[in-house]
Amino acid sequence: MRPKSLEELVGQDHVLGSDGVLRRALLSGSMFSCILYGPPGCGKSSIAELIKKYVDAEFYSLSGSLHGAAEIKQVLSRAQELKKYGRQTVLFIDEIHRLNKAQQDVLLSRVEDGTIILIGATTENPSFEIIAPLLSRCRVIQLKPLSQEDLIKIIERALEKDELLNRSGVEVEEGVLSQIAKEANGDARYALNTLETLIEVAQARGMKKLRLEDLATFATSKQLAYTQEDHYDLASAFIKSLRGSDPDAALYYMVKMLEGGEDPMFIARRMIILASEDIGLADPFALMMAVSAAQAVEYVGMPECALNLAEAAIYLASAPKSNSVYEALSRTKDLVEKTKEVEVPLFLRNPVTKLMRDAGYGKGYIYPHEVGGFVKRSYMPEGFENVKLYIPKDVGKESSIKKRLEQLWGKREDGSDEIDFEK
């Protein structure tokens, strides 16, 4: 069912339409090195076959999962010989992301000097999987999942042109193709395999018509794709949804991660970080909730621990937000970096020996419990008494902490009622 011409190719109009960069390159016969990046079943291998048809060059096809440096070097050696006679060589490497750094390095110089035109196909983000020098010498062509309309065209063509499907004598009820296309989620290979399986089952059972209800009985559901890029994208979306107080979006991205096979402990750890970074003292119980969820994951495991994660995610998304703890830590790190030579004040040092006591260790220290539990003084090093690193915000429980501090410290020197926390 692979297309034999550009006119037969379905989808990817943004690069293979009338003004598409790939279409212009193929029609002119002057191809360039590129990485075809897209989800499974979107047409990467089919495009490679069209390149073989339209470009006047020697064409070699390798697989990143099956071939290594030895096979690559054989093709490169052959390409160097052909170059002497003015003959171009196109090397297509499927699943190029499976080549390690050393194997990719082998390609680098020959792509650079034009010995080969490299066409790589990958479902993984090239930014993560392709070494930077090689990526800079190739153009990344991002392909999109096929639409339901595109998939229906492909499977209708299969019913019309495939001899085995035609000879089966099984009629396909209206609506079955649409449902297959919907469940395929942009993957033409899955759609065609599903159609073939359904017709084979129907034929074996002596059925003359494939109905919509048969689809649920005989077909298997498509596994949710989960690439390395999906891991980063969904984790980012999950955290930003929690931070943005959107429990619905947080649950959606969390479940997509779990359905994709993500480690539930990764999700739990991210929530523990967020509980302190984005909620902090606005609701101190948030950290306890996140830690409890992580413990529940260890105790229960999948799939039941999804309930524990969901409860924590809803709580964190609904909690008041404050990044004052994060900001306080950042200010403190900056201050420590700038004041490495500053020593601990003598009154805070522990006078363990007579020599230490004679040197003034512990002198002037007031035990708070002897004076009502609070001493109005700074414990910062000399010269930093007025530095404020933790600045509470008027959010939830944190506002009550701010008020309590104001009560303890009393009025400022200028007579106003509140502490100048910014100062």
Side-chain angles (χ1 to χ4, degrees):
M1 287 297 102
R2 290 200 188 282
K4 305 298 188 298
S5 66
L6 286 171
E7 287 68 31
E8 288 187 5
L9 187 74
V10 177
Q12 312 306 340
D13 290 339
H14 63 297
V15 292
L16 285 161
S18 57
D19 295 323
V21 61
L22 270 181
R23 186 185 188 91
R24 293 200 304 268
L26 291 177
L27 292 178
S28 66
S30 57
M31 193 58 198
F32 49 84
S33 291
C34 63
I35 305 295
L36 303 176
Y37 164 47
C42 69
K44 298 184 292 295
S45 298
S46 294
I47 291 173
E49 289 295 321
L50 290 178
I51 292 173
K52 179 179 180 180
K53 178 182 175 72
Y54 280 84
V55 178
D56 183 20
E58 291 290 313
F59 188 92
Y60 293 92
S61 180
L62 298 177
S63 170
S65 60
L66 299 176
H67 303 106
E71 290 86 354
I72 294 174
K73 288 177 180 178
Q74 287 179 0
V75 174
L76 297 183
S77 177
R78 173 64 177 163
Q80 285 181 289
E81 291 297 318
L82 292 171
K83 187 180 179 182
K84 295 176 183 178
Y85 300 98
R87 182 75 172 161
Q88 272 191 328
T89 300
V90 175
L91 172 57
F92 171 65
I93 302 182
D94 195 16
E95 297 186 272
I96 192 173
H97 60 274
R98 294 188 179 274
L99 296 180
N100 60 36
K101 183 178 182 298
Q103 291 167 334
Q104 294 183 38
D105 280 335
V106 173
L107 296 164
L108 189 57
S109 61
R110 296 308 170 214
V111 174
E112 173 73 26
D113 64 15
T115 299
I116 62 167
I117 297 172
L118 175 65
I119 310 296
T122 178
T123 56
E124 302 286 345
N125 191 320
S127 302
F128 301 140
E129 303 296 339
I130 310 299
I131 60 174
L134 183 59
L135 192 61
S136 68
R137 290 161 175 79
C138 298
R139 188 165 182 172
V140 177
I141 305 294
Q142 186 161 5
L143 305 179
K144 300 176 181 178
L146 297 176
S147 68
Q148 289 188 34
E149 291 76 16
D150 291 335
L151 292 173
I152 290 173
K153 288 180 184 178
I154 291 171
I155 52 184
E156 282 180 342
R157 182 191 297 167
L159 285 173
E160 178 185 342
K161 294 187 175 182
D162 187 87
E163 293 182 8
L164 290 175
L165 297 184
N166 282 333
R167 288 204 303 266
S168 68
V170 177
E171 183 185 351
V172 180
E173 185 180 73
E174 185 178 353
V176 170
L177 299 188
S178 297
Q179 188 62 29
I180 292 174
K182 182 180 179 180
E183 293 187 3
N185 195 28
D187 187 338
R189 186 180 293 104
Y190 174 86
L192 289 170
N193 287 340
T194 300
L195 177 66
E196 183 179 22
T197 299
L198 287 171
I199 290 182
E200 286 177 350
V201 171
Q203 189 177 19
R205 292 174 176 245
M207 298 166 57
K208 295 299 182 182
K209 190 170 186 178
L210 186 61
R211 299 168 300 174
L212 192 57
E213 51 264 35
D214 298 326
L215 188 62
T217 304
F218 303 141
T220 58
S221 59
K222 186 176 187 291
Q223 178 67 32
L224 182 67
Y226 195 69
T227 64
Q228 185 179 16
E229 185 178 11
D230 291 328
H231 164 81
Y232 291 111
D233 289 347
L234 289 170
S236 176
F238 174 60
I239 294 301
K240 288 180 172 67
S241 299
L242 292 175
R243 183 183 296 134
S245 302
D246 189 340
D248 301 312
L251 285 174
Y252 175 76
Y253 296 121
M254 186 194 79
V255 171
K256 286 201 77 171
M257 282 193 284
L258 291 174
E259 291 295 317
E262 184 62 76
D263 180 3
M265 277 304 298
F266 167 77
I267 298 173
R269 287 193 295 269
R270 295 303 306 170
M271 287 198 287
I272 291 174
I273 297 168
L274 178 131
S276 291
E277 180 178 349
D278 295 298
I279 298 174
L281 293 170
D283 185 354
F285 187 74
L287 180 57
M288 296 174 61
M289 175 67 78
V291 171
S292 296
Q295 292 175 334
V297 170
E298 291 184 334
Y299 294 154
V300 178
M302 283 293 287
E304 290 85 355
C305 73
L307 281 169
N308 311 118
L309 293 173
E311 180 181 353
I314 292 169
Y315 186 94
L316 298 182
S318 305
K321 305 298 187 294
S322 171
N323 67 341
S324 63
V325 173
Y326 174 81
E327 290 181 344
L329 183 61
S330 297
R331 294 188 194 103
T332 306
K333 286 181 177 179
D334 291 341
L335 182 61
V336 168
E337 181 64 28
K338 296 173 184 176
T339 59
K340 292 179 179 178
E341 74 289 348
V342 175
E343 297 181 342
V344 175
L346 287 175
F347 81 95
L348 290 177
R349 301 188 191 187
N350 198 16
V352 179
T353 66
K354 182 178 182 299
L355 180 64
M356 291 177 172
R357 288 193 293 272
D358 292 344
Y361 283 35
K363 187 177 181 180
Y365 175 70
I366 301 173
Y367 190 50
H369 297 291
E370 294 178 349
V371 290
F374 180 78
V375 179
K376 186 178 179 181
R377 71 173 304 171
S378 172
Y379 291 85
M380 290 288 283
E382 185 177 353
F384 296 90
E385 292 85 356
N386 294 323
V387 172
K388 296 298 176 186
L389 300 175
Y390 169 58
I391 303 173
K393 298 182 178 180
D394 288 317
V395 181
K397 293 181 176 64
E398 195 166 6
S399 62
S400 64
I401 296 174
K402 180 177 180 180
K403 291 176 183 177
R404 179 59 178 153
L405 287 173
E406 291 168 354
Q407 292 171 0
L408 292 171
W409 282 88
K411 294 184 178 181
R412 290 164 48 191
E413 294 178 1
D414 60 7
S416 60
D417 294 328
E418 292 186 350
I419 295 286
D420 185 351
F421 286 100
E422 291 294 334
K423 180 179 178 182

